[in-house]
Amino acid sequence: MSCSYPLHPFLRVAIVAAFVISSTQAFLSSTKPKVSSTLRTTSLLASTSSTTSSTTSPPSPPPQSETLALTTFADANQQRNELKVALFRSLGQQPPSTSSFGDDDEGLDRVLVCPLTLKPVRRVVRLAGPFGQIANMVSSSGTKYPANDVYIDLVPQDERNQIPFFSPTAMVTQELFRSPLTSFLYERGWRDNFKTAGFPGIDTEFIDLEKFMSPLLLSPATVEAPRQPQQQQQKIRMTSTTIVDLSCGSGLMARRLVRSKKWDRVIAADFSESMLRETRRRFEEEKLAVPELVRVDASRLPFQTDSVDGIHAGAALHCWPRLEESLRECFRVLKPGGRMYASTFEVNERLRSNTFRFFQLEELRKLFVMSGFGEVEVRREGTACLIVKAVKKG
C-alpha cells in the first residue's frame, strides 16, 4: 500500500534550485578539463618550437580547437555568473557586483585591509545552496575574514574566538566587555556612572569632538562655489572624509557622528561582538542609517596606512591590553594632519584599579608623543577624567 502527499511550495523551489545548481556544476566540470588539456598542449608546443630556432618558416596560427576551447571556457564563466545573479534575484536578494566574481581591483576597499598583511580586501558573496549565502572579506593574498549580517570580523584568526593570554587582568577586561550583559547595561546606567569621575557626558563630548575635528572638514583640498545671487559663498569638500569610532561600545558617539552627516564614511569598530550587535540594534531602533560595523583588535588595526581622517576612542584607552602598540597603530592609519580624540581615567588617591590601566596626566601625554604624534594636548576634567587631543603632523 502506498500513499502520496502534495509537495510544499517551498520544497518545490528547493528541488528546482538544487537541480539547476547540480546541472550547472556538471556542465562546468565537463568543460574545464578540455580547456586545461588544450592549454597544456599549447604550452608544450610553444616550448618545443622555442627549442627549434633553426626553422625559418613563420609560426602557424593557433589551432581552431584552442580558440573554441577558450571561447567555451569564457562562455561557461559568463553563464555561471549569470546563474548566480538569477539565483540571488529568485531568492529576493540583491546580487553582488560582478567585481566580486573576477580578479580585477575594482572591488577592493580603499580603507579596510587584512590586519596581518595590510593587503586590501573586497567583499565576496557566494551561495550556500538555495537557502542562503556566505559573505567574506577576502584580501588580495587570499586571506578570508567572515562578514555576517551584523558586522565584518577583521580580527586575525588566532584571536577571533579568544584573545591571547596577555595577563589575567587583561583577560578579565576583554571578556567583561564581550559579555551581552555588559552591552545591555552600557547605556542603562554604566556609561552615566562615569560622570562621577568628571566625564562631561556624551553630548558635551560630541560638541568638543566636533570642534576639534572641524579643520578636517574644511581642509585645503576644498574649493569655493561660484557666488550665487544673495547667497554667501559656500565651501565644497572635494575629498572623502573617514572617521573611526574605535572601541565604539554601544554606538553612543557613532550615532551622533552619523546623525551629523558631516562625514562621508563612519566606521564603528570594537573587539566585542555583543557591543557591535547592540550598536546595530540601537541604530535600527532610532531609524538611522547603520554605518560599517567592524570587529577589530586595536593593536592590529585593519585599516590602510594614511587612510583615516579622524579617530575617536571614548572611555577606551584603559581597556586596551596592548596600549603602546594600539597607539602606534592609530598613528599609522591616520592621514598626515589626521586627528585623534580620546578619553580615559586618571589614577589618583581616590581612583585606583587592579584590573584597568589608569594614567597620570604627563604619563599619558608621553605615551602619545612616543607613538609619533607631534601635537598632543591632555587636559583634566573633574576629579579623574583625562581628555586627549592628538594631531599627526603632515
Side-chain angles (χ1 to χ4, degrees), residues 170-189:
M171 291 288 290
V172 170
T173 301
Q174 291 281 11
E175 295 305 314
L176 173 66
F177 287 99
R178 293 179 72 186
S179 165
L181 178 61
T182 305
S183 304
F184 176 82
L185 295 174
Y186 195 74
E187 289 191 43
R188 295 174 173 86

Side-chain angles (χ1 to χ4, degrees), residues 1 13 27 57 114 196 284 297 306 310:
M1 183 177 67
V13 174
F27 169 73
S57 59
C114 168
T196 59
E284 293 173 346
D297 173 0
D306 300 338

Side-chain angles (χ1 to χ4, degrees), residues 15-27 83 87 127-131:
I15 294 173
V16 171
F19 174 75
V20 172
I21 292 174
S22 61
S23 301
T24 306
Q25 289 176 343
F27 169 73
L83 177 62
L87 286 174
L127 289 175
F131 307 113

Side-chain angles (χ1 to χ4, degrees), residues 267-302:
I267 299 175
D270 206 293
F271 185 80
S272 168
E273 307 94 321
S274 61
M275 283 292 190
L276 292 170
R277 293 190 187 97
E278 180 69 8
T279 296
R280 173 172 284 274
R281 189 193 69 78
R282 287 187 173 273
F283 265 93
E284 293 173 346
E285 184 179 66
E286 296 186 18
K287 294 181 172 55
L288 288 172
V290 181
E292 293 169 86
L293 305 181
V294 185
R295 187 175 180 229
V296 305
D297 173 0
S299 65
R300 291 197 278 189
L301 291 177

Side-chain angles (χ1 to χ4, degrees), residues 216-245:
L216 301 175
L217 303 177
L218 290 175
S219 63
T222 59
V223 295
E224 290 187 352
R227 186 180 296 277
Q228 302 292 333
Q230 299 179 351
Q231 290 182 355
Q232 295 180 349
Q233 288 185 335
Q234 297 179 344
K235 294 284 186 178
I236 301 177
R237 270 202 329 274
M238 302 301 292
T239 56
S240 177
T241 54
T242 300
I243 189 167
V244 175
D245 188 12

